[in-house]
Amino acid sequence: MVTINDVAAAAGVAPSTVSYVISGKRSISPQTRQLVEESIRKLGYHPHAGARALASSRTNVLALVVPLRTDLNVAVVMQFVTSVVTAARAYDHDLLLLTKDEGAAALQRVASAAIADALIVMDVEAGDPRVPVLLALDRPVVLIGVPEHRAGLTCVDLDFTAAGSACVAHLADLGHRRIALIGPSPAVYQRGTSYATRFLGGFNRTAGHRGLRVITRPCNHSYEAASDALDELFTQDPGITGLVVHNEAVLPALLSELRHRGLRVPDDLSVIAVCPETMGEQQSVALTTVAIPAEEVGKQAVEMVVRSLGGHTTPEIRLLSPRLTVRDSTGAPPA
Amino acid sequence: MVTINDVAAAAGVAPSTVSYVISGKRSISPQTRQLVEESIRKLGYHPHAGARALASSRTNVLALVVPLRTDLNVAVVMQFVTSVVTAARAYDHDLLLLTKDEGAAALQRVASAAIADALIVMDVEAGDPRVPVLLALDRPVVLIGVPEHRAGLTCVDLDFTAAGSACVAHLADLGHRRIALIGPSPAVYQRGTSYATRFLGGFNRTAGHRGLRVITRPCNHSYEAASDALDELFTQDPGITGLVVHNEAVLPALLSELRHRGLRVPDDLSVIAVCPETMGEQQSVALTTVAIPAEEVGKQAVEMVVRSLGGHTTPEIRLLSPRLTVRDSTGAPPA
DNA sequence: TTGAAAGCGATACCAC
DNA sequence: GTGGTATCGCTTTCAA
C-alpha cells in the first residue's frame, strides 16, 4: 500500500507538506505543489480513510436511513436515494445505507463508532421513536419528513399539507363538489407516517373551507386493492367527479380500471396524482400532478447536513411549496 | 468519546484484553469477560471504526455499485439493494452505496482508500470497462451479472439464458407457434447489458429448436411506448398467440392496453412475465412468471464476497436456475 | 489467561 | 513556506 510517506519521499518533502497540499489548509509554493501532485498521480496514492478518520475525526461519509417496506413506493424511495448519493458525492462524501428496521440502535452505532459524520433519516413517523436518540447524538441530523415534536430538529420535505390543499383547491376551482382521496396503504397511516397524515390534513381542511364533500380511503399495492377502492368509493358516493391519488404505486391500476369501467378521464372523472413528474407523464393519460420533488428534497437534505458539519447548527424546518402541473387528467365536472 | 482505555480502566484490565473480549480471538476467563462486557454496556462503548480499520485493515464495509438509470427497473434494483444491505448486516458489515456513473474511478478510490473491504457490482455490461479495473483491485469483487470475458471473475445471477429458454418452452408446450418478446429499453440493449442479451439469446435459441416464429422488440418505460410496441408486434404478425415480457416497468401498461383492445389474457393471448414474483401476483391478471430472484441473488452475492474476505478465493460463475410459476395468464392458444 | 507496547497512516500543532 | 512529531484509538505480537 502506498502511504503519505511514500509520496513525501518521492517528492522530496515532508509528509505534513503532502497532507497540506491535499487539504489546502495552508499555502504551498507552486513548485512544491506541482512536485507533490505529480508524485501522488505517479504512485496512485489515495489517503487511507481510516487513518484520516482517526486523525481528523472526519469520515467524509453520510449515513442515509431508508425504509425497506414494500408498502411504500419503491420508485420514490429510490429517487431519494439517488438524489442523496449524488449530492453527497458532489460534496466529496460517500453514502452509507442504513435500513429503518435496524431502528435507533443502528443510529447509535454508526454515530458512536464514527462510521459516518452525519445522518439523513427518511420515512419519519409522527411520534418517531428514533427522534430522542437522534437528538442525543453528537452529530448533525436531517430528517426527510416532519415528526410531531420538532423541537431542535432539522427537517426538509415537501409541504404535504399545502399539497393536500392544492389538490382540493384545483378541483374546487374547476367546479367539483364531491371528491375522493385514495391514499397510501393502511399500514402507512397506522404507523403515523408523517407525509400521509399531513397530506390528509391539508386535504380535509381545504375541503372543509371550500364546502366540498369528500371521501378518503387508504389503498394497498395491488390491482385488486385499487379496484376494490374504486368500488367502495363509488358505492359510498356515486356522485364523485374528482379523484386525488396519493399513492403512486396504484396509479396504473386505477387508470386501467377506470377505463375498463367506461369512466373517461377527465370527462367523467378528474384525476390528480401526487407523484414524481415523470411518473405522471408516463401514464395512459398525462396526469395533472402535484410533484413529489424527491430530487430537490434529497439535494437540500444533503446541503443542510453538510452545512451543519461546517459549524452552523440552526435547527430548521424547511417545507417546499407544492407545484401543481395541469395536464390532461383534470377538467370541469360533467354537467 | 469513550475509548477502549476507558473500558479497560473501568473493568480493571488491559486494553488488549478488552479488544480480545470483543473479537473473541483468544480465550478469556468468564469473570474477566463478564467484567469487560459490563463496562462496555455501562459506558456505551463502540469501537472507533477508523481506528479499527487502521489497525486491522478491515473496515467491515461492503461497497455496492448500483445503476441509477431510470431506464432500468427501479423496483428490481431496489430489491437487490434491500437484499444486499440486509445480508451484509447479517455478516456484521455496513453497506456503502456507489453509483455506476462514477465509473471505474470510484472503484479504485474506494478500494485504495480502504473505504470498503470488498465490492459488489450490479448492472454489468458485456464488455464492461470496469472489469479490468476490478480484476486489478486487491479486494474481493462479486458481479451481479456476467460480462463477456469472465476469466478470474466471481459472478452470480439468474441464468437468464435458461430463463429465456424456459419462457419459450412453456409457450411451445402449450401449443403456441408464433410468439413475441417485449424486452427492456433500447438503451439497455445498446449498452450490452448482460441480462438483456443473455435472455434474448436463450429465447431465440429455444425458439429455433422448437421451430417457433418469433418477433422481438425493446420497449421504453411509458404507457405510450408499451402501446406502440403492441401495435408494432401485431402489425408485423397478427397471428401472435404468446407474449413474453422481459420489462417489469411496462407490465401494467401492457395488460391495460390488451384489455382495452379486447384481447383477453390468456384466452386470446398468453403472457409470461420475467419479474419478481410479488409483482406478477399483483397485476390485473395473476401472471405466469419466471421469477427474478433479486433477494436470493443479493444474498448469495454477499455470501460469496464475505467468504472471499475469509480467505477462499476461487473465481466462480454461479447461475441460478429459473423458476417458472404458472398462474392465470398462460394457456393453450386460441383455436 | 493476561499485560505491555509497537505499530497502523493520516492530521495538525509547534517550530523554524 | 516547510519540516518534525505527537496524537488519534485500536489490533496484535511478544512476554510472562
Side-chain angles (χ1 to χ4, degrees):
Chain A
M1 159 171 228
V2 38
T3 75
I4 201 171
N5 295 296
D6 300 332
V7 175
V13 301
S16 53
T17 298
V18 175
S19 176
Y20 285 117
V21 166
I22 292 173
S23 70
K25 288 188 180 169
R26 81 179 180 192
S27 45
I28 300 284
S29 77
Q31 309 94 294
T32 312
R33 149 162 288 112
Q34 176 99 20
L35 221 55
V36 170
E37 280 170 348
E38 229 154 68
S39 309
I40 289 179
R41 265 196 315 92
K42 207 163 297 172
L43 299 180
Y45 169 68
H46 290 269
H48 188 286
R52 224 172 192 183
L54 185 54
S56 69
S57 312
R58 277 301 187 96
T59 62
N60 273 32
V61 169
L62 304 180
L64 175 67
V65 187
V66 300
L68 297 186
R69 315 247 174 207
T70 48
D71 58 358
L72 289 174
N73 191 276
V74 198
V76 178
V77 172
M78 196 68 191
Q79 286 201 10
F80 277 107
V81 174
T82 297
S83 167
V84 169
V85 66
T86 305
R89 287 303 304 142
Y91 286 101
D92 193 32
H93 282 253
D94 277 301
L95 191 76
L96 194 84
L97 206 67
L98 301 177
T99 67
K100 192 185 178 191
D101 12 292
E102 285 206 78
L107 310 179
Q108 264 302 349
R109 181 176 65 84
V110 166
S112 306
I115 294 173
D117 295 331
L119 308 175
I120 297 174
V121 179
M122 291 184 62
D123 194 33
V124 176
E125 298 167 15
D128 203 302
R130 296 171 296 179
V131 166
V133 177
L134 290 170
L135 283 169
L137 292 184
D138 52 334
R139 302 189 180 278
V141 174
V142 170
L143 307 190
I144 294 180
V146 186
E148 197 167 0
H149 298 297
R150 36 190 94 176
L153 291 175
T154 295
C155 307
V156 57
D157 204 354
L158 170 65
D159 187 339
F160 275 98
T161 308
S165 285
C167 291
V168 174
H170 177 61
L171 290 175
D173 289 346
L174 288 169
H176 295 263
R177 309 297 303 159
R178 290 153 77 173
I179 66 175
L181 167 65
I182 289 187
S185 70
V188 169
Y189 286 111
Q190 277 157 27
R191 289 200 299 271
T193 304
S194 152
Y195 67 82
T197 50
R198 286 184 287 140
F199 186 90
L200 187 58
F203 184 91
N204 283 328
R205 192 162 51 81
T206 301
H209 290 344
R210 295 296 204 104
L212 298 201
R213 178 162 152 194
V214 304
I215 317 176
T216 63
R217 192 185 182 288
C219 183
N220 280 313
H221 288 193
S222 72
Y223 195 94
E224 204 187 343
S227 175
D228 290 350
L230 285 179
D231 282 341
E232 203 179 301
L233 293 179
F234 283 109
T235 302
Q236 277 191 253
D237 182 354
I240 292 168
T241 61
L243 182 63
V244 176
V245 184
H246 182 204
N247 184 331
E248 315 83 355
V250 294
L251 276 175
L254 283 174
L255 295 172
S256 176
E257 266 299 292
L258 289 175
R259 179 150 79 170
H260 184 61
R261 293 168 185 215
L263 285 170
R264 293 161 305 164
V265 174
D267 311 87
D268 301 315
L269 188 72
S270 285
V271 175
I272 305 185
V274 183
C275 67
E277 301 247 312
T278 52
M279 214 175 275
E281 290 161 353
Q282 291 179 352
Q283 306 299 323
S284 52
V285 180
L287 297 176
T288 294
T289 57
V290 166
I292 295 186
E295 164 91 35
E296 183 62 21
V297 171
K299 198 170 141 189
Q300 296 215 16
V302 171
E303 271 171 15
M304 292 167 95
V305 91
V306 167
R307 193 146 49 84
S308 295
L309 284 173
H312 302 255
T313 231
T314 340
E316 170 191 3
I317 311 287
R318 196 180 290 182
L319 295 179
L320 309 187
S321 294
R323 195 154 63 89
L324 187 146
T325 304
V326 179
R327 296 198 183 79
D328 306 339
S329 66
T330 49
Chain B
M1 163 174 223
V2 38
T3 75
I4 201 172
N5 295 297
D6 300 332
V7 175
V13 300
S16 54
T17 299
V18 175
S19 177
Y20 284 118
V21 166
I22 292 173
S23 69
K25 286 187 181 171
R26 79 178 181 191
S27 46
I28 300 284
S29 76
Q31 310 95 293
T32 311
R33 149 162 288 114
Q34 175 101 16
L35 222 51
V36 170
E37 281 171 347
E38 228 154 68
S39 309
I40 289 179
R41 268 195 314 92
K42 207 162 296 172
L43 300 180
Y45 169 67
H46 289 269
H48 188 286
R52 220 172 197 182
L54 184 53
S56 69
S57 311
R58 278 300 188 96
T59 62
N60 273 35
V61 168
L62 304 181
L64 175 67
V65 187
V66 299
L68 297 185
R69 317 248 174 208
T70 48
D71 59 355
L72 288 173
N73 191 276
V74 198
V76 178
V77 171
M78 196 67 189
Q79 286 201 9
F80 277 107
V81 174
T82 297
S83 166
V84 169
V85 66
T86 305
R89 286 303 303 144
Y91 286 102
D92 194 31
H93 282 253
D94 276 299
L95 191 76
L96 195 83
L97 206 66
L98 301 177
T99 68
K100 192 186 178 190
D101 12 293
E102 285 206 77
L107 310 178
Q108 265 300 352
R109 182 176 65 83
V110 166
S112 306
I115 294 172
D117 296 331
L119 308 175
I120 297 174
V121 179
M122 289 184 63
D123 194 34
V124 176
E125 297 166 15
D128 203 302
R130 297 171 296 180
V131 165
V133 177
L134 290 169
L135 284 170
L137 293 182
D138 52 333
R139 302 188 180 280
V141 174
V142 170
L143 307 189
I144 294 180
V146 187
E148 197 167 359
H149 298 296
R150 38 191 92 178
L153 291 175
T154 295
C155 306
V156 57
D157 205 354
L158 170 64
D159 187 338
F160 275 98
T161 309
S165 286
C167 291
V168 174
H170 178 60
L171 291 175
D173 289 346
L174 288 169
H176 296 264
R177 310 297 303 158
R178 292 153 75 172
I179 67 175
L181 167 65
I182 289 189
S185 70
V188 169
Y189 286 110
Q190 276 156 28
R191 289 201 300 272
T193 304
S194 152
Y195 68 81
T197 50
R198 287 184 287 140
F199 186 89
L200 187 58
F203 184 91
N204 283 329
R205 192 162 50 80
T206 301
H209 290 342
R210 296 296 205 102
L212 298 202
R213 176 160 154 198
V214 305
I215 317 177
T216 63
R217 192 183 183 289
C219 183
N220 279 313
H221 288 193
S222 72
Y223 195 95
E224 204 186 344
S227 176
D228 289 351
L230 284 179
D231 281 343
E232 202 178 301
L233 292 179
F234 283 108
T235 302
Q236 276 191 252
D237 183 354
I240 292 167
T241 61
L243 182 63
V244 176
V245 184
H246 182 203
N247 184 332
E248 315 83 352
V250 295
L251 276 176
L254 283 174
L255 294 173
S256 176
E257 266 299 292
L258 290 175
R259 180 149 78 168
H260 184 60
R261 294 170 185 212
L263 285 171
R264 292 162 306 163
V265 174
D267 310 272
D268 301 315
L269 187 73
S270 285
V271 175
I272 305 184
V274 183
C275 67
E277 301 247 312
T278 53
M279 213 175 277
E281 290 162 353
Q282 292 179 351
Q283 307 298 326
S284 53
V285 181
L287 298 176
T288 294
T289 57
V290 166
I292 296 187
E295 164 90 33
E296 185 61 23
V297 171
K299 197 170 141 190
Q300 296 215 15
V302 171
E303 270 170 17
M304 291 166 96
V305 91
V306 167
R307 193 145 49 84
S308 296
L309 284 172
H312 302 256
T313 231
T314 338
E316 170 190 2
I317 310 286
R318 195 180 292 182
L319 295 178
L320 309 187
S321 295
R323 195 155 62 89
L324 187 146
T325 305
V326 179
R327 296 199 183 80
D328 305 339
S329 66
T330 49

